[in-house]
Amino acid sequence: MNHLLSPRRIIARPLLLRPGFLFPVMACLLLAAVPIHLHAAEGYPDGPEISRDGTTVWLTDYVRLPLSRRGGSISNFSPPPDFANQLARVNFLRPEPLGAPSSTSRVFVNDLNRNLYILTADDLQFTPYINFQSVFPKFDNEPGYAGGLITFAFDPEYAANGRFYTVHSEDPNLSGSAVPINTHLAGFNVAGYTVTPVINPPAGSSFPRQAVLVEWTDTDIENATFEGTARELLRVGFNSNIHPMGDLIFNPLAGPDDPDYRNLYIANGDGGAGEQSDSRHTLPQRLDALPGKILRITPDIDLRPEDELSANGRYRIPVTGPDPNPFAGLTLAGLHKEIFALGFRNPHRVSWDVESGALFVNDIGLHSWEEVNIVHRGINYGYAEREGTEELFIGGANNRLTGGQINPPEPFPDPDTLTVDGIGRSFTPNYPVAQYSHHDGDAISSGFVYRGNLMPSLRGKYIFGDITTARLFYADLDELLAADDNVRLSLATVHEIQVVFDSPYDDPDQGPVNRRLFDIVAREYTERGGSAPGGGALPGGADVTNGNDPDGVPYGRGRADIRLALGADGEIHVLSKSDGVIRLLAGVLEPPEIQSIDLTDNTVMLNWRSFPGRSYRVQSASSLTDPDWTDLPGDVDATGTTASKEDAISEATRYYRVRLLP
């Protein structure tokens, strides 16, 4: 078991309770120095680099999704569970927007396999809102890790107009029409729904997957059944079954008078194109190709009628005013003016920090680096010529290696320039603000700047994770913003967050136990009936979990497949596909900071921040120089995030300290 505690030291904090009556209070704090390193070493590391600083979170079970499976069809849209695969492929959790009648009690959750659910907070029950496989004849959830009902987002005016947006994947090779049916969703008015022409990449000969962006209008958002219409906005083809359209977001800082109001940002993966050595390789860098980009469109064609109408007539492209899309003024054959930023591999998750204004995009790397990027209008983020802070080689003897992995290492280009067809100039690509190598993980998950209340010591930290290994990380926001300087080796430090979990399968007297999240998911997977083929701990494959973690402990093969999501209260949930569970980061194991002291009739009540399941000892002394501290009778077993203790006093001055027991 990993050690949770760092070296202790004592800090005095005097508290004035009433005039003339001073009670200095001492708290025993667990501290660890966190140096700021904003510059990374050159090249690829020899081993793991992410260290622990003692930060440990309390993880609790929140809810289990209904079991589901891949496969199925328009005529078999609820196949029985497959216990040799992932048990419920939960991908996003989003609260219903404020102002909606049930916004305080409902969240929406999607299972990639087919269902968009409403989850009610009072009873934690899932109600299928739309079964996409029962509606779309060419719906495809089979190949890859991101196929199916991928994501959804609410219009900023959802409470008034009932609009929301979804992305699902389809197999164009399935027979029949792609027009949806309402046989099993009677409230869905399909009249007038038409399929848009697919926009395939301008390179390659096979396009086996399409991502479909749909606008839905629910005419009654007070019930739990969809009733209304839908409109297809965009259909994008991809060269393979990986890295489709991954996330949707509206700018939360843009009000009705802002030119960015109700503009939809779309994270579009490269479909595996960049790792190919043929003509597909340059697609993430091409302005006549949608893969490997962040797109920006205006779904409401009546909102700013002076902007350009899309070729399919379903949305507008911001090309006028003070904030047009960056490449709208170019003259290039096949130019896609929807492009906001380019040069990504799989920018599958996007988040916007409302306080700093930073737009974060987490880009999954090929075989070397996982990236946190701060995205700006019109900037090139380098893929597939760069991966992380290194040059990437595709094809030849060094295929899929970065410069630091070649023997001898290949020097990084100086100056570093890339040329994009149609721009007519060379420019320096933008670099990530944080990264980690595949010695520390496999695929970066979603991340958020934490602004909640349950983990005060992590407020203002960017919290994210690794999909496969289920490791959780954080980086300091100030460091991330400082690293957004386009200096290649200027990077924020990444720290690992350890996990304490009160397992329902452990001895209830044991309390929360320090363990790996990977193992928590594996245990729940087994308890729900899962049995991965080949004896792996979890289903799926990943090289990194075939070996040991950075402490030398074997993973046991498979993918935890985690994502992070924000609740309406700003608290972070961890979603894991393999076991189909949503969990909550419910607290931080941190110093027992005394929050208040109350004095009534010579009785002191001390209140301090605590960690559920841990024990605390309160001690007192009449002087700070007194070497002997007296234990107050009875240790305190914390049951919540605040604990308290009473003490009767007689002397005028007394010092207290609270110790966290091992």
Side-chain angles (χ1 to χ4, degrees):
M1 183 179 298
N2 297 319
H3 295 290
L4 297 179
L5 308 184
S6 303
R8 295 180 170 91
R9 72 174 184 176
I10 303 298
I11 295 179
R13 186 181 63 168
L15 296 179
L16 184 62
L17 297 182
R18 66 184 188 215
F21 206 52
L22 182 67
F23 279 78
V25 177
M26 303 189 68
C28 177
L29 301 182
L30 311 180
L31 300 176
V34 184
I36 295 178
H37 297 299
L38 286 178
H39 295 278
E42 183 79 43
Y44 198 73
D46 294 328
E49 294 185 306
I50 297 176
S51 62
R52 298 172 180 147
D53 59 10
T55 301
T56 305
V57 299
W58 174 41
L59 188 72
T60 63
D61 280 339
Y62 180 62
V63 69
R64 292 164 177 79
L65 267 74
L67 297 176
S68 70
R69 69 175 295 170
R70 295 176 187 255
S73 66
I74 190 73
S75 59
N76 178 25
F77 50 83
S78 295
D82 176 6
F83 290 99
N85 211 313
Q86 295 176 327
L87 300 182
R89 297 167 62 217
V90 53
N91 211 37
F92 279 91
L93 174 155
R94 299 196 196 273
E96 192 167 23
L98 293 176
S102 303
S103 62
T104 59
S105 60
R106 301 199 313 187
V107 297
F108 284 68
V109 177
N110 73 301
D111 181 336
L112 279 160
N113 285 337
R114 63 192 53 83
N115 280 322
L116 178 59
Y117 291 108
I118 291 176
L119 172 64
T120 49
D122 54 348
D123 58 4
L124 294 181
Q125 294 298 307
F126 287 95
T127 301
Y129 178 62
I130 302 174
N131 181 323
F132 274 63
Q133 195 164 47
S134 74
V135 171
F136 293 98
K138 292 179 180 287
F139 180 84
D140 170 34
N141 61 23
E142 275 283 11
Y145 289 108
L149 172 55
I150 300 170
T151 187
F152 63 98
F154 295 99
D155 188 292
E157 294 188 358
Y158 167 83
N161 64 23
R163 290 182 187 173
F164 61 96
Y165 300 85
T166 64
V167 174
H168 71 275
S169 60
E170 293 190 1
D171 180 354
N173 297 311
L174 292 176
S175 61
S177 171
V179 175
I181 64 174
N182 62 358
T183 306
H184 302 283
L185 189 62
F188 179 19
N189 180 3
V190 298
Y193 188 106
T194 56
V195 176
T196 60
V198 62
I199 302 176
N200 282 324
S205 58
S206 176
F207 311 103
R209 172 165 283 174
Q210 296 174 358
V212 185
L213 173 63
V214 178
E215 176 189 83
W216 303 77
T217 301
D218 192 332
T219 55
D220 184 3
I221 61 174
E222 295 194 42
N223 62 19
T225 303
F226 178 78
E227 297 172 323
T229 59
R231 188 170 65 96
E232 185 170 307
L233 298 185
L234 180 64
R235 182 176 288 260
V236 180
F238 295 90
N239 297 100
S240 74
N241 290 308
I242 61 174
H243 311 167
M245 194 179 292
D247 203 356
L248 306 171
I249 195 170
F250 289 92
N251 182 352
L253 301 174
D257 296 329
D258 193 298
D260 204 24
Y261 184 57
R262 295 181 67 206
N263 283 339
L264 180 62
Y265 290 76
I266 304 166
N268 210 35
D270 79 330
E275 59 205 69
Q276 309 304 320
S277 57
D278 55 25
S279 60
R280 293 170 289 178
H281 171 71
T282 60
L283 287 178
Q285 290 288 311
R286 291 176 60 166
L287 296 178
D288 61 350
L290 292 178
K293 312 296 193 301
I294 304 298
L295 312 177
R296 182 172 67 166
I297 66 172
T298 309
D300 187 345
I301 61 175
D302 297 323
L303 182 61
R304 284 180 283 273
E306 66 278 10
D307 278 335
E308 184 173 320
L309 192 64
S310 64
N312 64 17
R314 302 300 175 87
Y315 57 87
R316 292 198 182 272
I317 304 170
V319 298
T320 66
D323 185 26
N325 277 7
F327 306 110
L330 296 179
T331 55
L332 169 69
L335 172 69
H336 286 296
K337 298 180 182 180
E338 296 93 338
I339 296 172
F340 182 81
L342 70 154
F344 297 97
R345 181 175 183 262
N346 187 10
H348 74 132
R349 291 298 186 272
V350 182
S351 67
W352 218 307
D353 179 39
V354 295
E355 293 194 22
S356 68
L359 174 61
F360 289 95
V361 172
N362 289 359
D363 196 15
I364 296 178
L366 181 53
H367 292 312
S368 303
W369 293 105
E370 303 302 308
E371 301 180 10
V372 178
N373 295 281
I374 295 179
V375 170
H376 302 279
R377 173 185 176 276
I379 298 299
N380 187 337
Y381 289 82
Y383 191 76
E385 311 307 317
R386 306 288 179 266
E387 184 179 354
T389 54
E390 291 195 277
E391 185 176 10
L392 176 63
F393 295 88
I394 298 294
N398 297 320
N399 186 37
R400 304 189 178 192
L401 297 178
T402 62
Q405 296 168 311
I406 298 170
N407 188 17
E410 183 74 20
F412 192 79
D414 184 19
D416 183 18
T417 58
L418 294 177
T419 300
V420 176
D421 289 344
I423 290 184
R425 65 177 178 86
S426 297
F427 55 91
T428 300
N430 232 45
Y431 307 109
V433 294
Q435 66 181 17
Y436 63 91
S437 80
H438 281 203
H439 292 298
D440 277 302
D442 177 68
I444 191 169
S445 79
S446 39
F448 301 91
V449 177
Y450 179 65
R451 304 289 183 187
N453 296 311
L454 293 178
M455 303 183 292
S457 63
L458 286 173
R459 235 179 251 130
K461 310 295 185 186
Y462 184 76
I463 300 176
F464 59 105
D466 185 71
I467 291 171
T468 305
T469 65
R471 296 178 74 188
L472 297 178
F473 307 124
Y474 82 85
D476 186 82
L477 176 60
D478 289 338
E479 289 190 17
L480 293 169
L481 297 176
D484 188 27
D485 54 8
N486 208 32
V487 175
R488 183 169 71 93
L489 297 180
S490 177
L491 293 161
T493 302
V494 177
H495 308 271
E496 182 171 8
I497 298 174
Q498 295 172 261
V499 173
V500 167
F501 181 64
D502 194 1
S503 172
Y505 310 113
D506 290 339
D507 182 344
D509 297 328
Q510 186 178 18
V513 176
N514 178 223
R515 64 188 76 202
R516 298 182 307 189
L517 181 51
F518 182 92
D519 299 324
I520 295 169
V521 174
R523 176 67 181 269
E524 183 66 27
Y525 175 75
T526 301
E527 293 293 335
R528 297 194 76 183
S531 180
L538 288 167
D543 290 342
V544 67
T545 62
N546 291 343
N548 299 337
D549 70 12
D551 291 323
V553 180
Y555 280 109
R557 305 198 311 277
R559 299 167 58 95
D561 233 321
I562 68 162
R563 305 295 189 277
L564 274 59
L566 277 187
D569 54 3
E571 302 302 337
I572 292 181
H573 294 77
V574 179
L575 323 176
S576 46
K577 293 181 190 175
S578 287
D579 62 349
V581 175
I582 301 174
R583 298 178 173 89
L584 174 68
L585 300 185
V588 179
L589 182 63
E590 57 185 0
E593 178 183 344
I594 294 177
Q595 297 174 299
S596 65
I597 301 177
D598 299 314
L599 176 65
T600 304
D601 298 329
N602 292 331
T603 298
V604 170
M605 173 68 76
L606 297 97
N607 302 285
W608 64 91
R609 184 175 291 120
S610 62
F611 194 86
R614 300 305 295 257
S615 298
Y616 297 84
R617 179 168 298 159
V618 181
Q619 299 175 314
S620 68
S622 57
S623 169
L624 283 176
T625 60
D626 191 338
D628 298 319
W629 287 74
T630 302
D631 297 342
L632 271 62
D635 294 334
V636 177
D637 297 324
T639 58
T641 56
T642 301
S644 59
K645 182 76 172 178
E646 283 188 350
D647 184 34
I649 62 169
S650 57
E651 62 265 41
T653 301
R654 181 172 292 181
Y655 293 84
Y656 292 98
R657 69 182 182 188
V658 180
R659 300 183 67 90
L660 172 62
L661 299 180

